[in-house]
Amino acid sequence: MIRVRIRPVWRFQGKAERDFDFALLALLEALEETGKLTQAARRAGMSYRHAWNLIERWAALLGAPLVVMERGKGTRLSPLGAKLLWAGQRVQARLAPELENLATELASALNEASTETAPALRLHASHDFAVGGLRDLAQKQGLGLELQYRGSFEALGSLARGECDLAGFHIVEGPLGARLAARYAEWLRPRSHRLIRVATRTQGMIVARGNPRHVRRIEDVA
């Protein structure tokens, strides 16, 4: 089975022109978590020397340091380094589902043209880490799983129209969940479909250290 992966390209232009090395983002993220360049380099899968050269090279191109090293305090990201990491995480969050959809559509078209390719199981689902993990597991097992990210209602609509074999959707507890369930039921047929509970998760809010505004419930935000 043909698999396709599409990645964005960041091209920096100034005194020189260079395509961004995404290994730097992995290094900066690990550095933010560990506060030590030796540990960050190990986590990013590179040597300390290569990590330091990578940081220095891009600091020279961008015109400001990416990290701040303090004796006895380890290494932390500079304002530019923190902003670069933030930009990378933002791009990943926004583009990853769209790029994965495009890659899936391209791979599907290529696989359809191959007479030797076994038919894939088609999954349309709302974006979720569990769904992504299912795709990765299927690939490791050599199973044909074609994943396209769709909104919950769009995924169920695809299932009702026979455009996919599995549809993933989110549902919440409480009054909102009851209203959503009634709308979801419009797409489901008890004799044709089976509901499988895949994952349960708890969502919350991230607050400042020590929770200075004492946010415990959503009402506290108001």
Side-chain angles (χ1 to χ4, degrees):
M1 171 174 284
I2 298 172
R3 296 188 178 92
V4 177
R5 189 174 184 182
I6 301 175
R7 292 181 176 180
V9 174
W10 295 11
R11 181 159 294 162
F12 288 79
Q13 295 177 319
K15 295 181 180 179
E17 182 175 309
R18 183 179 299 167
D19 288 350
F20 185 66
D21 187 345
F22 285 93
L24 178 61
L25 287 182
L27 179 62
L28 294 180
E29 184 173 18
L31 184 57
E32 183 182 51
E33 294 175 0
T34 64
K36 295 184 180 297
L37 187 55
T38 51
Q39 294 181 19
R42 190 180 307 114
R43 185 176 297 187
M46 62 183 73
S47 68
Y48 177 90
R49 187 171 190 176
H50 177 66
W52 182 246
N53 288 339
L54 186 63
I55 290 173
E56 287 285 278
R57 185 164 64 250
W58 279 97
L61 180 69
L62 298 175
L66 300 181
V67 301
V68 177
M69 303 184 73
E70 296 180 289
R71 186 180 298 274
K73 296 184 178 181
T75 305
R76 58 181 173 83
L77 301 185
S78 70
L80 177 60
K83 185 65 70 174
L84 186 62
L85 176 59
W86 170 84
Q89 293 170 336
R90 189 174 180 85
V91 168
Q92 174 69 11
R94 287 194 172 189
L95 291 184
E98 294 298 328
L99 292 180
E100 289 184 21
N101 281 348
L102 290 172
T104 298
E105 292 172 7
L106 177 56
S108 178
L110 295 174
N111 285 321
E112 286 178 2
S114 173
T115 57
E116 299 179 358
T117 301
L121 192 66
R122 300 166 300 170
L123 168 61
H124 291 187
S126 185
H127 188 264
D128 189 275
F129 291 118
V131 173
L134 177 62
R135 175 204 54 207
D136 296 340
L137 179 61
Q139 290 180 354
K140 290 180 180 178
Q141 298 294 327
L143 303 177
L145 179 65
E146 177 187 299
L147 169 62
Q148 292 192 29
Y149 287 116
R150 297 285 188 268
S152 293
F153 289 107
E154 190 177 1
L156 286 173
S158 295
L159 181 66
R161 293 187 297 270
E163 298 171 359
C164 65
D165 306 298
L166 301 168
F169 57 95
H170 294 138
I171 190 166
V172 298
E173 296 179 345
L176 176 59
R179 292 198 296 270
L180 286 175
R183 292 190 59 191
Y184 288 149
E186 298 175 6
W187 296 102
L188 299 174
R189 302 290 179 267
R191 294 184 179 180
S192 305
H193 301 135
R194 171 167 294 186
L195 184 63
I196 302 173
R197 181 176 176 177
V198 174
T200 301
R201 72 184 183 199
T202 301
Q203 292 192 166
M205 295 172 289
I206 300 176
V207 299
R209 186 183 298 274
N211 194 9
R213 293 186 178 274
H214 307 290
V215 176
R216 304 295 179 188
R217 304 174 303 168
I218 192 66
E219 292 82 1
D220 297 335
V221 177

